[in-house]
Amino acid sequence: MIGILRYHLMSLWVRRVGTSLSVFSIGMAVGILVLVLSLARGFELSLVDTGREDNILVLRQGASSEGESGVTRPKWRALQTYPGVAVDASGDPLASAEIYAAMNLNKADGGTANFPLRGVMPATFRVRDTAKLVAGREFTPGTNEVVVGKALLGRLAGCSLGGALDTGGVMWPVVGVIDGGGAAFDSEIWCDVEVFMQVFKRQVYGNVILRRATPAPAEGPDPLREMLENDLRLDAKTFTERGYFREQSGPLGTALKFVAVFIAGIMAIGAAFGTAVTLLASLAERRREIGTLLALGFRPHHVVLGFLCEATALGLAGGILGVLLALPVNGVATGTMNWKTFTEQAFAFRITPDVVVLAVTFSTFVGIVSGLLPAIRASRVPPSVALRG
Amino acid sequence: MLIQVRGVVKSYVKGSETVLVLDGVDLDVDAGEWVSLMGPSGSGKTTLLNLIGGLDVPDSGSICVNDDEMVGRTNAELAAWRSRNVGYIFQLYNLLPVLDAFQNVEMPLLLTNLSRKERREHVMTALDLVGLSDRIDHYPAQLSGGQNQRVAIARAIVADPAFLLADEPTGDLDRKSAEDVLNLLQDLHTRFKKAIVMVTHDPHCAERADRLVHLEKGVIVADT
Ligand SMILES: Nc1ncnc2c1ncn2[C@@H]1O[C@H](COP(=O)(O)OP(=O)(O)OP(=O)(O)O)[C@@H](O)[C@H]1O
Ligand SMILES: [Mg+2]
């Protein structure tokens, strides 16, 4: 059985033009699939991999994101000293009050877009330590100084060490750069929370982030979070920091995947038809060869499998081609709107192994589907008729 | 008795009319016998050959090979039987153009359990027999008509079948190549005792056989 494959693969090779057309059309469909899926994957990774599992994000009851939340100063004071909150070496609680808002800022290439501005306390640098200061220094409390996520460098007007951001007349000197490792913090701007509230006339903080002293139980309810949420003074809703970001990725990631499947699906149907037509034409030319195979003692199912193998090979080659076509964009950064926070979010195309596996599986499937009709046709040819040419 | 054809009737439906191609054919072929089958075009020679080879099934009648009834078997059974017992030779050689001489001859062996090494030995023996062991890596397009027919004969005998079915094996060849092919068949016939049923239009070719059978309008009219 393996031996007869040589005949089928050689047949593909001899009909190079038709073969390449099929491979190319499948490859294009797969290329698009990989592009959009890697976009979705990059987007998810940028959010999913943000934050720590042992940080607790506290929002107002009824708020679904940081931007909608509000936490008053008395509540912040209560949260800061809550039992179960970790303290650093000097005895200060690892807790920080923040405020998060979308800011309309000038892009480097003209135009404006919303970018996330996070007012933070100096303690945030210790609590949200998945974001690392990689250049410059932290801002000086009480000033307009900001640190920016590394993905914003060059994307925003004035966004470089020594430069300054402009929010409609108020200037924000850039003094540091933070690296969130490809995650959400890479697209954020951090300033002093008190300055933020003064400039934008806010009375309350937005959210509080706490480091817990002891890890949450591996299973079952988390007593610390339950206590926080049941404390009537606080009126609080809690997330783990990671869990919160994971939730934020939901709608856009899903939408992108839908687009990927939709566009690639339509292209794949076209590619499958093209491949089926190519195989049928090849079958018509090879009737006598098929008759010969049958005369030699090969059985109809050998012929069916042979044609399916040809189709599978076309699909597989198309899949590999598609991945190769899409590969140059791997890691290329881009931005898109995060529809939950209404801010521009920087992230990169991520062609992860599972995207590759999915793409190649998909193309192989397209190949097999397109080979079904030709294969069944081939097996139906009576040998005595096929031999007449 | 190697092949025993009894009262075989075969008709084809073409559009609305039925064409009666074979109208009660009886034919016996002994083991090691060489039979030439002659007759005008359309008389049913190819059809009869295909029935004997199990490529087609008769409407009625019986075909026994080595006392085994062929009629009523499934296509898969017939294919398996064909691969072990029948060597086919065609007018237009029917080699697979995408494979070289060696690979073409190897095809029937892919249906056996022989190892790669054993297959290689069998193929080389067969190609040696037809005098083409120096052309193993040539493709059909790189060989002359006579050489192609010799490759096809090597393919027909490589699995050591009991008999050969040849449909106008010299029909597309010049005198000299035709003579070579006939000598080769003669050799296989005398040295290896292969039975041969050969369709031909050429009386000169037909003379090489032990026996001459004339088919006309679906019935055998002369058997000498
Ligand atoms: N599959 C088929 N469908 C319809 N008619 C067929 C089919 N096969 C053969 N025939 C008809 O049967 C008749 C006999 O055909 P066959 O090929 O056996 O003749 P032949 O003696 O081999 O002729 P030739 O010398 O030209 O090769 C012809 O009239 C042919 O048209
Ligand atoms: Mg004929």
Side-chain angles (χ1 to χ4, degrees):
Chain A
M1 188 61 227
I2 302 293
I4 193 186
L5 286 183
R6 187 169 54 198
Y7 160 70
H8 288 283
L9 295 181
M10 285 306 296
S11 294
L12 286 178
W13 172 244
V14 166
R15 292 168 178 78
R16 291 188 272 285
V17 176
T19 299
S20 348
L21 281 176
S22 298
V23 169
F24 191 74
S25 62
I26 297 177
M28 290 302 283
V30 173
I32 297 288
L33 180 75
V34 171
L35 276 186
V36 188
L37 279 185
S38 65
L39 204 61
R41 180 47 47 91
F43 181 74
E44 281 172 355
L45 283 182
S46 75
L47 292 172
V48 167
D49 282 357
T50 298
R52 299 174 56 120
E53 208 57 63
D54 60 354
N55 279 349
I56 296 176
L57 178 71
V58 184
L59 303 183
R60 172 177 59 81
Q61 195 68 252
S64 66
S65 76
E66 291 176 316
E68 303 163 14
S69 178
V71 176
T72 60
R73 283 175 196 276
K75 284 180 187 166
W76 153 240
R77 275 192 295 274
L79 282 166
Q80 190 182 17
T81 55
Y82 217 78
V85 174
V87 293
D88 65 14
S90 49
D92 294 325
L94 280 170
S96 176
E98 303 177 338
I99 191 161
Y100 179 94
M103 280 294 135
N104 197 257
L105 294 171
N106 296 320
K107 297 215 267 190
D109 54 6
T112 63
N114 281 333
F115 288 88
L117 178 64
R118 186 185 289 278
V120 302
M121 296 178 165
T124 291
F125 288 99
R126 255 63 68 199
V127 183
R128 295 197 190 259
D129 61 1
T130 52
K132 306 221 165 16
L133 194 73
V134 288
R137 55 179 173 80
E138 294 176 11
F139 56 78
T140 311
T143 69
N144 280 11
E145 288 172 358
V146 294
V147 298
V148 296
K150 70 169 197 292
L152 295 178
L153 293 173
R155 284 176 67 84
L156 276 174
C159 191
S160 59
L161 270 183
L165 308 179
D166 181 352
T167 59
V170 182
M171 298 305 286
W172 304 84
V174 177
V175 298
V177 178
I178 47 175
D179 180 351
F185 298 134
D186 282 349
S187 328
E188 290 189 1
I189 305 160
W190 289 6
C191 68
D192 184 352
V193 65
E194 303 296 342
V195 175
F196 183 113
M197 290 166 76
Q198 234 172 358
V199 171
F200 299 106
K201 314 220 165 11
R202 299 289 185 91
Q203 310 302 318
V204 295
Y205 299 118
N207 60 278
V208 169
I209 184 93
L210 308 167
R211 171 75 54 80
R212 59 191 310 148
T214 52
E219 269 172 62
D222 175 352
L224 178 54
R225 278 177 60 189
E226 283 201 333
M227 196 155 71
L228 286 166
E229 294 195 351
N230 293 336
D231 190 329
L232 292 177
R233 289 174 306 156
L234 297 177
D235 180 36
K237 177 177 184 176
T238 65
F239 298 85
T240 69
E241 188 186 18
R242 267 181 97 82
Y244 172 76
F245 283 113
R246 207 177 298 131
E247 204 158 284
Q248 298 291 303
S249 79
L252 185 57
T254 310
L256 280 174
K257 278 186 200 156
F258 180 77
V259 169
V261 170
F262 186 72
I263 299 179
I266 287 177
M267 291 186 67
I269 291 172
F273 269 106
T275 305
V277 168
T278 308
L279 286 172
L280 282 173
S282 161
L283 170 68
E285 284 172 28
R286 286 152 68 189
R287 277 169 72 91
R288 213 157 58 92
E289 294 175 30
I290 291 162
T292 305
L293 289 177
L294 296 170
L296 293 180
F298 287 92
R299 288 165 225 175
H301 79 262
H302 289 124
V303 175
V304 171
L305 286 177
F307 267 83
L308 278 184
C309 285
E310 284 187 33
T312 307
L314 290 175
L316 202 62
I320 293 167
L321 176 72
V323 171
L324 290 180
L325 283 177
L327 213 53
V329 305
N330 190 22
V332 171
T334 183
T336 191
M337 199 67 165
N338 182 333
W339 297 105
K340 206 139 179 200
T341 57
F342 291 103
T343 57
E344 205 85 344
Q345 172 131 20
F347 60 95
F349 289 88
R350 292 271 176 237
I351 302 181
T352 48
D354 58 333
V355 169
V356 173
V357 169
L358 186 81
V360 175
T361 311
F362 172 76
S363 67
T364 308
F365 178 73
V366 170
I368 291 174
V369 166
S370 64
L372 279 178
L373 180 66
I376 290 170
R377 272 269 185 97
S379 73
R380 291 259 171 90
V381 181
S384 59
V385 173
L387 280 170
R388 284 172 195 270
Chain B
M1 192 67 55
L2 178 67
I3 303 168
Q4 196 168 41
V5 178
R6 286 287 174 274
V8 159
V9 176
K10 176 73 186 174
S11 56
Y12 288 107
V13 181
K14 214 182 235 168
S16 58
E17 53 184 314
T18 309
V19 188
L20 187 60
V21 182
L22 295 179
D23 189 10
V25 170
D26 297 329
L27 178 69
D28 289 335
V29 180
D30 274 327
E33 195 180 17
W34 184 351
V35 177
S36 276
L37 199 56
M38 294 189 78
S41 183
S43 55
K45 304 182 295 294
T46 299
T47 304
L48 180 57
L49 216 57
N50 285 343
L51 290 174
I52 295 172
L55 283 176
D56 215 339
V57 285
D59 301 342
S60 64
S62 131
I63 299 170
C64 288
V65 178
N66 280 327
D67 296 329
D68 283 338
E69 178 60 58
M70 291 298 123
V71 178
R73 296 207 187 183
T74 67
N75 278 339
E77 284 169 347
L78 285 173
W81 167 79
R82 196 157 53 235
S83 69
R84 277 178 274 107
N85 295 285
V86 187
Y88 252 102
I89 303 167
F90 305 90
Q91 179 177 359
L92 298 173
Y93 336 126
N94 286 25
L95 296 173
L96 299 172
V98 299
L99 302 181
D100 65 23
F102 183 93
Q103 294 166 342
N104 263 294
V105 175
E106 192 185 14
M107 285 304 280
L109 299 182
L110 298 176
L111 291 162
T112 65
N113 295 326
L114 296 181
S115 72
R116 207 186 162 80
K117 193 166 148 283
E118 291 167 322
R119 289 204 305 264
R120 191 172 178 83
E121 282 165 10
H122 283 69
V123 172
M124 290 314 292
T125 309
L127 279 169
D128 210 28
L129 214 70
V130 301
L132 285 175
S133 41
D134 56 339
R135 294 281 198 279
I136 56 169
D137 53 358
H138 284 52
Y139 287 86
Q142 299 168 323
L143 295 170
S144 71
Q147 287 171 326
N148 272 320
Q149 194 59 297
R150 276 146 67 197
V151 173
I153 291 172
R155 179 179 67 182
I157 58 169
V158 73
D160 196 23
F163 60 98
L164 302 177
L165 299 177
D167 196 351
E168 302 185 40
T170 59
D172 215 47
L173 300 177
D174 58 65
R175 268 251 86 83
K176 167 81 179 60
S177 307
E179 208 57 43
D180 288 347
V181 163
L182 287 171
N183 288 340
L184 190 52
L185 289 177
Q186 183 87 62
D187 195 34
L188 295 171
H189 176 58
T190 43
R191 268 172 67 197
F192 300 98
K193 305 280 175 283
K194 300 275 179 226
I196 303 175
V197 180
M198 178 178 79
V199 171
T200 181
H201 280 293
D202 182 351
H204 178 74
C205 290
E207 273 171 19
R208 304 286 284 257
D210 308 328
R211 224 173 103 207
L212 209 65
V213 173
H214 268 273
L215 201 63
E216 228 161 275
K217 295 199 180 126
V219 285
I220 289 178
V221 293
D223 193 335
T224 49

